[in-house]
Every structure is written in structure tokens, then in C-alpha cells.
Amino acid sequence: MLLSISFCNFQSFKNEIALKLTLNKNSPVRGWQRLSPSGERVTTALGVFGANAAGKTAFLKPLAFLSWFISQSFSSEPSAKIPVTPHFSTPLNPTRIEIEADDREGVVWRYVLEVTRERVIHEALYKKQSRFKYVFVRDLADDGVSYEIKQQGFGFTPNEARKVRPNASLISTAVQYGVESAVHVADFFFATNINIHGRVSLGGALSVASELFGKNDAIRPAMISLLTSWDLGLSDVAIEELEYKKSDGSTQKIWTSFGKHQTKEGLTHHLPMEQESSGTQSAFFLLSRLLLVLHYGGVAAIDEMESDLHPNLLEPILELFDKESTNPHAAQILFTCHSSKVLDLLQKSQVYFIEKNDCESEAFRGDEIEGLRSDDNLRAKYESGALGAVPKV
């Protein structure tokens, strides 16, 4: 499970920010908590609130970036820039990200990365036994080109380790060689609706979701059951792989989905998902992200979870991460939201507030707010402006 992530000099966040999912021993919650394999008390849902342009999406991006960098950066072009953006006032300083998580065996891992757009400055992996000990440390040498690499049980041959490109992770590269520790660490399931540029549009995302559900028998029934129970007017969802003839005479196969609508007389009408309401489309794509981590375990980072959805749908969506019957592997969801109804469900230790002042974003967890009691009405306090993180209009 994800325990924490901290970062600095990342987009609008100039100073170090810590995002913690661990709960204090006596923190009262109404649900959405599990004991992690290492014995930590951890929330399975964490909401992020703030005004528009405060930095909520940027708050989730370091996790999305790390997930890509650790598992896929090996596939980057040799000359490609590393997709990080430092704070505009410190463009020459490296971006630093640190993450801690435990695996299913209860081993806690820490990964530390310092990068610029051009190269890795520092990369290290630690494993906790009685204390944290490095598995590998990779530092840019004084010549600014080569790397000094120390390993302690990582298992990557020194000759190949020295060849890792400056824009790629040692872990991602070691995975290609079947290094067991690298494969284990990179096997961190992550799903999101954001990339380095922000929230993805629904255009091409619908075909991606259709293909995922079409090929995955394990999660397709849950998607259909949920969509047909959410008063969207659907009686079923059909997914097909269709073959289209292109202008040059060649053919292309495309996955597509259809909402089934049935009248009281029993007549059935199939409507392409692209012609369904924005709410239905959003719910369909959202479930393609959430059901993956619920089935396999892992973390989902969702930007503007309520986008195009009725606020009443937020509670049943979040409940998927609370109940052990729907979340058997203790999957976690981090989400940004504008609907304050969510604050009736979560406690102060399960909510972050984001504010931007003088072009710098800052984040603080609800239980860090002085004077905020556990029995206070969190929603009323937030809506009144007492907790900050609301637009000043």
C-alpha cells in the first residue's frame, strides 16, 4: 500500500510537500481504513480540495510521473526530455520526489529521485528491515556525464548498470534484464485519468476503456452491474471489436461500446457510447480506471472525480474502496474534488486542502489545521471558508 509521497520543485509546488496516507493511532474515521501489510494504519481514500488553479491536479502528478518513470522510462527515445516541470522561479534546480510503500509481504520500500529535464541527478532504492538500507544508489558523477552506482543485493550487472541512459530509471532498465528486485518494485499497479499535461479528454479514452473491458472478463460484469444500477437509463452495455476499412483499402479493428436502452414495451435500442450523455461517458471511463485497482490492488489517482457526475454518485463510488467485498486487496484512491458532499463521508485526516499564494502552491492535511476538532462539521467549516482552500471571489 502507498504510505507517503513527498516532492519539491514540481510545477506550482516550489517547497517540499508531503502527502501522507498513514493515520495516527487515535485518528477517528468513519471508514476507508485498513492495516497495511507492514502494520501501518492507512486510509484507502484521500480527497483533495481547493480552488480552481490552486494546484490540485499538480498535487497528484508526482505519483503519476513516478509510476511511469519506474516502469516505462526505458522505452523513451534516447534524446527525449524527462517530462517534469520545475517551479518557474527555480528552473535550474532539480525536482525531487520520494515515495514509501509496502508490498504484500509487508516489506517497506523507499524510492528517491532527483531529476532535471535533461537527466537523473540522483536515484536510490531502499528496503526497510530493522532500518532502511540502500538496495542501490545512483549519482551523477562530477564530470556531469557518467554515474557512480552502488548496489547492495539489487542484482544488476555493473557493466549494464553503467549503460543506463540519463533520462531513464535504473529500475525500468533493470526490468528489461529480468532483475528480480526491479521486477518486484516495478510491479506497482497504478491507474489514473491524468498525464503530465493534466486530465485526459474523453475522446480517445472511450475506445481505450472499451478495449480494456472487452478484453478483461474479470471486471466487465462489475462495470455493467454498476452502470445499470446508477439510474443512467441503461439496461446493459455491449462491447464489440469492429473492423473498419480505411481510405487506403486496409482494415483496422477498433473496440467500441454501446449502451442498451429498453422501453417498458421491451424494445431495445443500442446507442454508441460516444452518443451517450457526458455523465454516462464519464462514469464508463472512470470505472475503467477504478475497477482495475479494485480487482488487482494498487492505487488510483483521479482528477475531478465528480466531473459530469451527479454528486449523489460520489458516495457509492467511494464505497467501492471501503467495503472488503469490493476492495479485497486494499486498493487506494486519491482524488481531487469540488463537491463538498464528500466531506460528510471522510474525516479530517483523509482530506488535503490546497492553496496557492504568490504563485506557490501549498498543501495541508485536515488534521494539521490548528483548532479543527474531529467532531466539527468538516463540510460546514470548509463551505464557510474557515479552512481556506476556497476561491476568493
Side-chain angles (χ1 to χ4, degrees):
M1 296 182 74
L2 179 62
L3 304 178
S4 67
I5 179 169
S6 61
F7 54 92
C8 66
N9 201 31
F10 188 97
Q11 296 196 353
S12 60
F13 292 92
K14 180 179 179 179
N15 298 316
E16 184 171 2
I17 296 295
L19 189 167
K20 299 179 181 178
L21 290 96
T22 53
L23 300 171
N24 294 332
K25 185 177 179 181
N26 299 318
S27 294
V29 293
R30 303 186 187 96
W32 294 278
Q33 66 164 329
R34 297 286 179 88
L35 279 181
S36 76
S38 62
E40 292 278 3
R41 188 169 174 239
V42 182
T43 184
T44 58
L46 190 141
V48 182
F49 288 80
N52 292 117
K56 298 187 302 300
T57 306
F59 190 62
L60 299 182
K61 283 183 181 179
L63 183 59
F65 166 74
L66 273 194
S67 175
W68 169 83
F69 190 73
I70 290 173
S71 62
Q72 301 178 48
S73 59
F74 172 82
S75 301
S76 298
E77 293 293 328
S79 60
K81 299 289 187 183
I82 298 175
V84 293
T85 303
H87 192 273
F88 73 89
S89 68
T90 51
L92 301 181
N93 292 351
T95 294
R96 186 181 192 278
I97 309 175
E98 179 176 320
I99 187 172
E100 284 191 16
D102 60 7
D103 59 25
R104 293 181 180 179
E105 287 72 47
V107 177
V108 179
W109 298 82
R110 177 186 292 165
Y111 177 73
V112 182
L113 179 68
E114 292 182 17
V115 293
T116 64
R117 295 272 293 166
E118 288 71 32
R119 59 181 56 83
V120 170
I121 305 298
H122 171 78
E123 183 183 17
L125 179 67
Y126 300 86
K127 183 177 181 180
K128 189 174 184 180
Q129 294 164 338
S130 58
R131 57 187 179 85
F132 279 107
K133 295 183 178 180
Y134 77 84
V135 179
F136 74 78
V137 178
R138 175 192 182 202
D139 284 307
L140 186 66
D142 291 338
D143 60 14
V145 178
S146 61
Y147 285 90
E148 298 173 353
I149 302 171
K150 298 187 299 182
Q151 298 187 57
Q152 197 167 238
F154 187 56
F156 197 17
T157 60
N159 187 47
E160 295 300 336
R162 284 191 291 268
K163 296 178 184 177
V164 177
R165 299 194 316 269
N167 65 346
S169 165
L170 189 73
I171 296 175
S172 177
T173 307
V175 168
Q176 315 308 312
Y177 292 83
V179 175
E180 186 176 343
S181 294
V183 172
H184 180 71
V185 172
D187 187 27
F188 173 73
F189 201 87
F190 178 76
T192 187
N193 66 344
I194 59 175
N195 55 34
I196 198 64
H197 303 294
R199 185 159 55 100
V200 299
S201 65
L202 281 177
L206 292 177
S207 61
V208 171
S210 295
E211 181 175 1
L212 186 147
F213 285 127
K215 292 181 176 179
N216 198 318
D217 296 337
I219 64 173
R220 186 172 59 251
M223 175 271 294
I224 295 172
S225 175
L226 289 167
L227 288 185
T228 55
S229 69
W230 285 350
D231 195 26
L232 299 169
L234 298 173
S235 61
D236 199 356
V237 178
I239 300 177
E240 301 177 16
E241 188 179 24
L242 304 179
E243 188 171 88
Y244 290 89
K245 181 171 286 189
K246 300 167 69 174
S247 57
D248 61 0
S250 62
T251 59
Q252 180 182 7
K253 291 184 177 181
I254 299 177
W255 287 91
T256 189
S257 300
F258 300 86
K260 290 187 179 182
H261 301 262
Q262 191 171 59
T263 68
K264 61 182 180 181
E265 292 83 11
L267 297 176
T268 300
H269 174 61
H270 287 206
L271 190 65
M273 190 59 68
E274 290 77 9
Q275 296 179 27
E276 290 284 356
S277 72
S278 297
T280 300
Q281 293 179 26
S282 293
F284 177 71
F285 177 64
L286 179 62
L287 288 178
S288 74
R289 308 295 89 191
L290 302 187
L291 292 177
L292 279 174
V293 296
L294 288 167
H295 183 75
Y296 296 106
V299 176
I302 304 297
D303 188 37
E304 296 193 17
M305 190 170 71
E306 83 283 16
S307 180
D308 295 320
L309 300 179
H310 192 282
N312 287 358
L313 280 178
L314 295 180
E315 184 171 357
I317 290 172
L318 284 178
E319 282 181 347
L320 296 173
F321 286 82
D322 184 29
K323 299 176 180 177
E324 292 201 26
S325 59
T326 52
N327 188 12
H329 303 298
Q332 296 163 283
I333 181 170
L334 285 65
F335 64 97
T336 70
C337 191
H338 287 291
S339 176
S340 57
K341 288 191 69 171
V342 172
L343 297 175
D344 290 334
L345 306 174
L346 303 179
Q347 277 282 20
K348 62 180 183 177
S349 57
Q350 298 169 309
V351 179
Y352 269 85
F353 299 99
I354 312 294
E355 285 191 336
K356 183 189 285 184
N357 295 296
D358 299 324
C359 300
E360 293 184 24
S361 295
E362 58 178 330
F364 46 94
R365 205 165 80 166
D367 55 356
E368 298 172 353
I369 299 175
E370 187 175 351
L372 182 61
R373 296 161 50 93
S374 298
D375 57 354
D376 281 336
N377 187 319
L378 193 59
R379 179 181 179 184
K381 287 271 189 179
Y382 176 69
E383 290 178 344
S384 71
L387 306 181
V390 292
K392 299 171 183 176
V393 295

